[in-house]
Amino acid sequence: MTSTLAPAIMSDINPEKLGQRIVDAGLLNAQQMESMWAELGTREVNLQTFTSLLLRKELLTNYQLDRLLKGERGGYFYGENKVLYLVGTGTFARVYRAVHIRTGRIVAVKSLRRRFRDDKAMCDGFLREGQIGVTLRHPNIVPIYEVLSQPSPTLIMEFVEGSNLREFTRTRKKLSPVEAMRVAVDILAG
């Protein structure tokens, strides 16, 4: 697992500055960072050596590292869920794979896109959909565990591996009538 460190980004940050950004963002605590320095045996290492160790030990993901190197200060946590990486982007929301920091449970974080956050009707509708979803339990409906309004309208959901219906039909091109009926019945059951 290696990061794609852009030369322009690398020139303005050194390992100690990056370490401080990591601690400031809450991705590692000061004690964990001190352990990293102890393992390296010195603070006089290059950025590539430092970032490679963080990635190899799985203390950071490439997604987190790239954001830190760009100077992004927020967006690493939604409630008690630490974002690991971006899964996909839709018209209205971005979906991230995240981990609950206390339980270790892998979740999906669906956050309303920035361009819609100032639209009260859009925010209210997104949050209302989430509140309704929290009450639903069915094998064909992805469970919503939590609805957050801050820092942005966000749904914390079960993380489901695989593709969505659009990707499924794009890949398959055509479904037999029996397959199409099975998919339709499953959707309607939900």
Side-chain angles (χ1 to χ4, degrees):
M1 206 185 265
T2 59
S3 178
T4 54
L5 302 175
I9 294 171
M10 289 178 23
S11 64
D12 70 337
I13 188 166
N14 62 40
E16 284 205 63
K17 283 183 184 176
L18 178 60
Q20 189 58 54
R21 284 183 186 180
I22 293 167
V23 171
D24 290 347
L27 293 168
L28 295 178
N29 62 38
Q31 182 179 357
Q32 290 170 307
M33 189 54 62
E34 284 304 318
S35 289
M36 286 294 301
W37 294 123
E39 186 165 336
L40 288 164
T42 180
R43 292 179 187 232
E44 302 300 317
V45 297
N46 66 39
L47 191 58
Q48 187 65 46
T49 299
F50 183 62
T51 58
S52 293
L53 183 60
L54 289 165
L55 293 170
R56 189 174 70 250
K57 293 182 76 62
E58 297 182 354
L59 296 171
L60 290 183
T61 64
N62 278 311
Y63 174 80
Q64 295 164 339
L65 182 58
D66 289 342
R67 287 179 52 84
L68 287 162
L69 290 170
K70 290 176 187 171
E72 300 285 341
R73 299 193 184 274
Y76 300 101
F77 292 90
Y78 288 86
E80 293 187 8
N81 303 284
K82 179 168 58 171
V83 172
L84 301 174
Y85 60 83
L86 178 68
V87 173
T89 302
T91 304
F92 299 105
R94 294 180 190 271
V95 178
Y96 303 92
R97 181 180 179 131
V99 61
H100 190 275
I101 55 179
R102 283 187 297 107
T103 66
R105 176 174 62 181
I106 298 296
V107 296
V109 171
K110 183 177 182 179
S111 182
L112 190 64
R113 293 186 69 160
R114 189 177 316 270
R115 67 175 164 233
F116 297 112
R117 292 181 195 163
D118 292 332
D119 182 335
K120 182 168 175 22
M122 182 67 75
C123 288
D124 289 348
F126 185 83
L127 293 171
R128 190 171 38 257
E129 173 188 332
Q131 294 294 348
I132 291 168
V134 166
T135 66
L136 301 175
R137 289 295 178 259
H138 188 277
N140 297 6
I141 299 174
V142 176
I144 297 174
Y145 302 130
E146 186 178 6
V147 178
L148 307 172
S149 57
Q150 296 297 324
S152 65
T154 303
L155 309 180
I156 309 300
M157 311 165 73
E158 178 181 330
F159 186 84
V160 179
E161 295 283 350
S163 60
N164 62 33
L165 183 58
R166 179 182 299 143
E167 293 164 351
F168 176 75
T169 55
R170 191 178 306 149
T171 302
R172 297 287 299 271
K173 304 282 189 234
K174 187 176 180 182
L175 299 177
S176 72
V178 171
E179 290 173 312
M181 187 63 74
R182 183 182 48 80
V183 170
V185 166
D186 286 346
I187 291 169
L188 291 171

